């Protein structure tokens, strides 16, 4: 069937392309592909960084820029003015432009020479995205409304879907639960729509009747709508993706539910059902709009979609090509500066290490904030050996706190917890543990009832009138940063006196039976794995510190985003303590000696927690150390305090702390300030992931921009550790990097907007204001200080010291790694045996030698 023009076609007749009408199986494939483009969004209680472009990693970075610009009218590069300013300030040089031009794909239509490129950049560009190859009802309606949000049905539709999703997914915030929330999403929505008069009151005639007439099966409903709207077969997938993109926040949460179920081998269709809700909602608006301007515009849009190209042709968008080259040049400038640092370090014989036993070995998470503290500790303890490793220390555990009935996964979200570890009171009787559990549950129930009383429709007024003045002291303490507005999450429900009495005795139960803890063989296996992964198999110091990390903030819905991503958005305390307890086990050490790892009898491992907001370091279970180590531990605490002060002073400048005489108090105050929008900068600035011995970077000020993973390939006979690093920490670092990238280049689409007006919804996420879609990504205040970008949008630059053949073997074996490297979602470089950057990965297992 050929495409007909609008004048030849009845306005109500569907327009189709030359292809045969879609089959049910083919439609399901298109639905699955559209849904797979959505990246998951973890809830606030375990908010972790996620690559917002995860669903597009099977295609090149440049192609995704073109696809999102054409299909979703969304940019994922900075505005042209950003690159123009970088040129003017000398942050991009002619040399960088020349290299970017020389490495551009041959298919691109690029300017002929640096001067021609600069001339184009200096001109004012049209930043408007081209018309999408397939329009949605939303786009047509918005065009007809001329940007008037009040006249736009799209904004109303998104608000209504978001409001309903908030009720359906709610996890305890709402006082009254949605009656039908226990059923499948699409079925529950259809049930609630029967009583929802809002759409019809807003002028959408027969909304409830039209919804009731559609199929009950979500796939059948989508198929019917696609046919009735006349969406061309070649445009169906793009149409469905754009429909999800309108509600990408709630779609991302639904994608998370499917991700979580998949870890346990289960299926979840929530995202498909949410897609059906969105498509059916749009169809209801279509049926209501019978006016000729709308139907003419829709018919024309479908006719254009039937003739649209199947791929994203960069040559058709010259402005985008120029911006891609400028982004490459911007990243090349950073790479060049870092390569010079490596070169200078290698020239100074940077790999040389002092002979003899180290005064201290301290392992920190690879987190970029640890890079600052590690430099400070190396100043405070000359000769100390600091180690970088994923902050869960190789122990994928579910940790159950004292008084809790359910635990939380303390491991990367790529993994499923393999062990359950319960917190217990050391030496407590069964009666004491029962008392603690009962007390915590009782206090939580009382707190929930008290909150319900405070916020209920009637009692809230009486409460404020009678009890308001009683909170004067509390309000003063919170405002003066002397107290916390809310209890620390780890201590929620515990009486302060009980906490003070039991805190020194709280510890993880490492040894356990079938249900909890580790058996003897598991403890040895895990100990060997973590030591080999850290390249820590000999030359042990007397004291080895294992420091996880966490943050301390208040009035911050995204607080867990500042905790350890490798621990699933929780602090690394539990993992560090578990690792130390196992490595101090004499039976484990005896077994390790038989496996070629001999830990001296006088070596003691200490678990610790680095607070990245205040830069304090807390030691755990140090009272269990042998008496011979007490003096050394006392000295260590003094040195840690010194390192903390050094690190605070470096961060203070970035935080805008002006009082140089009271930096420590000022930084501590930020962690308690309920009005503070930037208590710390988190991982802002991250740009590099370096996998090499510490000697390659020791003494280089990386400015808190690099993930540092310790690795000595000479100790990795079968390159299993290299494989682990490239398939887990490198991928997670890329997720973090691209989340910050997306939140910077287009915060409206991939971030969460202004945190000052955030409202928590369902305890799951935030809205910006009181309506709209669930927000994803990071707040604007996490990447911008009000006058300039603190995070500079660059793709991750990975530097690995290992044989190229070994890296190629990992890339060839793992599709996920190959897609990231071949499609330029990150840049991969090789370090030679002197620590110089010798090669750059060029794709398809080929490398380019760098001079």
């Amino acid at each position: 069937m050929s495409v007909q023009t609008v004048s030849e076609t009845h306005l109500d007749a569907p327009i189709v392309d030359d292809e045969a009408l879609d089959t049910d199986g083919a439609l399901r494939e298109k639905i699955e592909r559209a849904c797979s483009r959505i990246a998951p969004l973890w809830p606030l209680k375990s908010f972790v960084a996620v690559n917002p472009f995860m669903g597009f990693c099977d295609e090149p970075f440049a192609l995704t820029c073109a696809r999102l610009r054409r299909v979703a009218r969304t940019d994922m590069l900075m505005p042209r003015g950003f690159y123009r300013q970088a040129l003017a300030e000398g942050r991009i040089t002619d040399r960088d432009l020349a290299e970017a031009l020389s490495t551009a794909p041959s298919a691109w239509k690029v300017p002929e020479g640096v001067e021609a490129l600069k001339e184009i950049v200096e001109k004012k560009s049209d930043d408007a995205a081209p018309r999408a190859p397939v329009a949605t009802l939303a786009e047509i309606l918005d065009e007809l409304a001329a940007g008037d949000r009040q006249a736009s049905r799209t904004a109303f539709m998104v608000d209504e879907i978001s409001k309903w999703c908030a009720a359906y997914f709610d996890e305890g915030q709402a006082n009254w639960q949605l009656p039908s929330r226990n059923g499948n999403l699409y079925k529950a929505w259809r049930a609630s729509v029967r009583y929802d008069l809002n759409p019809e009151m807003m002028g959408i005639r027969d909304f409830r009747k039209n919804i009731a007439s559609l199929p009950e099966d979500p796939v059948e409903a989508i198929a019917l709508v696609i046919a009735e709207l006349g969406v061309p077969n070649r445009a169906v997938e793009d149409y469905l993706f754009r429909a999800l993109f309108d509600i990408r926040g709630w779609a991302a949460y639904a994608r998370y539910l499917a991700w979580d179920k998949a870890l346990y081998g289960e299926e979840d269709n929530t995202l498909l059902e949410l897609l059906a809700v969105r498509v059916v909602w749009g169809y209801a608006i279509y049926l209501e709009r019978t006016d000729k301007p709308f139907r003419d515009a829709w018919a024309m849009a479908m006719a254009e979609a039937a003739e649209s190209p199947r791929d994203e042709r960069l040559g058709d968008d010259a402005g985008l090509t120029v911006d891609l080259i400028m982004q490459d040049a911007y990243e090349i400038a950073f790479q060049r500066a870092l390569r010079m640092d490596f070169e200078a370090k290698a020239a100074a014989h940077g790999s040389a290490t002092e002979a003899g036993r180290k005064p201290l070995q301290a392992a920190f998470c690879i987190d970029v904030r640890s890079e600052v503290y590690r430099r400070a500790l190396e100043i405070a303890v000359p000769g100390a050996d600091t180690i970088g490793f994923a902050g869960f220390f190789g122990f994928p555990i579910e940790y159950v706190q004292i008084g809790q009935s359910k635990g939380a996964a303390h491991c990367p979200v790529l993994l499923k917890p393999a062990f359950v570890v319960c917190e217990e009171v050391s030496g407590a009787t069964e009666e004491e543990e029962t008392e603690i559990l009962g007390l915590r549950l009782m206090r939580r129930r009382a707190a929930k009832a008290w909150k319900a009383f405070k916020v209920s429709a009637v009692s809230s007024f009486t409460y404020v009138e009678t009890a308001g003045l009683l909170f004067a002291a509390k309000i003063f303490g919170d405002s003066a940063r002397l107290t916390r507005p809310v209890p620390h999450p780890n201590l929620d429900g515990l009486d302060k006196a009980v906490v003070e009495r039991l805190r020194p005795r709280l510890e993880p139960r490492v040894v356990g039976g079938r249900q909890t803890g580790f058996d003897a063989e598991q403890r040895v296996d895990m100990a060997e794995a973590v030591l080999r992964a850290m390249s820590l198999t000999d030359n042990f110091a007397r004291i080895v510190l294992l420091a996880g990390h966490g943050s301390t903030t208040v009035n911050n819905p995204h607080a867990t985003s500042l905790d350890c991503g490798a621990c699933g958005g929780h602090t690394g305390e539990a993992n560090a303590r578990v690792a130390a307890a196992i490595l101090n086990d004499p039976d484990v050490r005896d077994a390790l000696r038989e496996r070629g790892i001999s830990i001296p009898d006088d070596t003691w491992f200490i678990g610790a927690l680095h607070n990245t907001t205040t830069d304090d370091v807390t030691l755990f279970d140090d009272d269990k150390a042998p008496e011979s180590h007490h003096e050394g531990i006392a000295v260590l605490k003094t040195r840690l305090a010194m390192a903390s002060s050094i690190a605070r002073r470096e961060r203070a400048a970035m935080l805008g702390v002006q009082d140089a005489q009271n930096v420590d108090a000022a930084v501590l105050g930020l962690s308690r300030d309920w009005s503070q929008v930037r208590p710390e900068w988190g991982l802002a600035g991250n740009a590099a992931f370096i996998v090499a011995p510490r000697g390659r970077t020791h003494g280089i000020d990386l400015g808190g921009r690099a993930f540092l993973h310790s690795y000595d390939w000479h100790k990795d006979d079968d390159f299993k550790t290299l494989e682990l690093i490239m398939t887990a920490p490198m991928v997670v670092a890329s997720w973090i990097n691209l989340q910050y990238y997306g939140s910077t280049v287009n915060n409206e689409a991939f971030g969460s907007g202004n945190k000052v007006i955030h409202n928590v919804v369902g305890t799951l996420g935030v809205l910006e204001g009181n309506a709209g879609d669930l927000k994803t990504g990071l707040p604007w205040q996490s990447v911008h200080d009000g006058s300039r970008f603190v995070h500079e949008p660059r793709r991750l630059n990975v530097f690995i010291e290992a044989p190229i053949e070994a890296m190629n073997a990992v890339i060839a074996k793992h599709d996920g790694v190959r897609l990231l490297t071949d499609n330029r979602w990150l840049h991969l470089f090789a370090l030679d045996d002197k620590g110089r950057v010798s090669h750059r990965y060029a794709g398809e297992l080929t490398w380019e030698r760098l001079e």
Side-chain angles (χ1 to χ4, degrees), residues 36-316:
S36 70
R37 298 294 191 188
I38 302 296
L41 171 67
W42 266 255
L44 293 176
K45 64 182 180 182
S46 56
F47 189 89
V48 294
V50 177
N51 170 14
F53 316 108
M54 181 193 303
F56 294 92
C57 285
D58 60 340
E59 64 185 29
F61 172 83
L63 179 58
T64 300
C65 289
R67 186 181 301 280
L68 286 180
R69 185 171 167 85
R70 284 167 59 86
V71 175
R73 305 198 65 162
T74 298
D75 287 319
M76 51 181 285
L77 295 170
M78 295 296 284
R80 182 72 57 81
F82 175 84
Y83 304 112
R84 189 181 303 123
Q85 183 177 355
L87 266 176
E89 295 174 353
R91 290 184 289 131
I92 299 178
T93 66
D94 287 359
R95 179 180 173 183
D96 303 321
L97 295 176
E99 185 173 343
L101 285 169
S102 67
T103 57
S106 58
W108 292 10
K109 296 178 182 178
V110 302
E112 297 183 0
V114 170
E115 293 305 319
L117 176 60
K118 290 168 67 175
E119 185 177 343
I120 294 173
V121 173
E122 291 300 326
K123 294 179 180 178
K124 180 176 176 58
S125 65
D126 179 13
D127 290 326
R131 184 177 178 86
V134 54
T136 63
L137 291 162
E139 184 175 9
I140 300 301
L141 289 169
D142 283 346
E143 288 178 356
L144 294 176
D148 183 357
R149 189 180 190 280
Q150 298 303 317
S152 171
R153 295 291 192 221
T154 308
F156 175 69
M157 173 187 66
V158 172
D159 288 350
E160 288 295 294
I161 293 177
S162 181
K163 180 176 65 177
W164 187 86
C165 284
Y168 179 81
F169 291 118
D170 178 78
E171 289 194 355
Q173 184 173 346
N175 289 329
W176 295 339
Q177 290 190 341
L178 186 72
S180 57
R181 69 192 302 263
N182 293 326
N184 293 336
L185 185 145
Y186 182 64
K187 181 179 179 180
W189 177 73
R190 283 171 55 86
S192 64
V193 161
R194 288 182 295 179
Y195 309 101
D196 188 357
L197 298 177
N198 275 7
E200 291 171 23
M201 292 181 66
M202 290 297 293
I204 304 178
R205 295 184 300 274
D206 298 325
F207 180 84
R208 293 176 296 165
K209 177 182 176 182
N210 290 332
I211 297 300
S213 69
L214 293 173
E216 295 182 2
D217 180 79
V219 175
E220 292 179 8
I222 293 172
L224 185 147
V225 171
I226 292 296
E228 290 295 317
L229 293 180
V231 180
N233 189 36
R234 68 172 61 190
V236 169
E237 183 181 334
D238 286 339
Y239 180 84
L240 296 176
F241 169 70
R242 291 203 66 205
L244 282 175
F245 199 76
D246 283 343
I247 53 170
R248 53 190 172 274
W250 287 110
Y253 180 71
R255 180 76 173 84
Y256 152 75
L257 295 176
W259 178 287
D260 191 57
K261 288 285 186 66
L263 283 178
Y264 297 89
E266 302 175 20
E267 292 186 3
D268 185 276
N269 292 320
T270 303
L271 181 54
L272 183 154
E273 293 169 4
L274 181 59
L275 171 61
V277 170
R278 166 61 185 86
V279 169
V280 167
W281 236 108
Y283 181 57
I285 295 176
Y286 172 83
L287 293 176
E288 186 265 332
R289 291 294 296 264
T290 58
D291 54 288
K292 189 173 186 302
F294 169 74
R295 290 302 175 101
D296 281 352
W298 181 251
M300 181 62 72
M302 292 301 97
E304 292 175 353
E307 296 180 324
S308 65
R310 289 183 175 277
D311 58 355
E312 306 306 322
R313 298 178 296 187
L314 285 171
D316 293 345

Side-chain angles (χ1 to χ4, degrees), residues 750-774:
F750 307 114
S752 60
N754 184 357
K755 71 187 302 182
V756 176
I757 56 174
H758 279 174
N759 280 305
V760 175
V761 54
T763 74
L764 303 172
V766 297
L767 303 181
E768 188 180 19
N770 62 355
D773 188 26
L774 191 72

Side-chain angles (χ1 to χ4, degrees), residues 418-422 509-520 522-523:
F419 307 96
V420 177
V421 176
C422 298
R509 185 189 303 157
V510 174
V511 180
R514 292 184 304 166
Q515 301 301 320
T516 62
F518 308 79
D519 63 30
Q522 289 171 337
R523 294 200 297 277

Side-chain angles (χ1 to χ4, degrees), residues 264 394-402 404-411 416-424 507-519 522-523 526 574-575 578 582:
Y264 297 89
F395 288 85
I397 62 174
E398 177 185 329
Y399 194 62
V400 184
Q401 291 182 328
I402 189 74
Q404 297 274 36
S405 57
K406 184 179 180 181
H410 284 233
C411 60
K416 180 176 71 172
F419 307 96
V420 177
V421 176
C422 298
E423 188 176 49
E424 64 180 1
E507 61 182 29
R509 185 189 303 157
V510 174
V511 180
R514 292 184 304 166
Q515 301 301 320
T516 62
F518 308 79
D519 63 30
Q522 289 171 337
R523 294 200 297 277
M526 298 299 292
N575 300 74
V578 166
I582 288 177

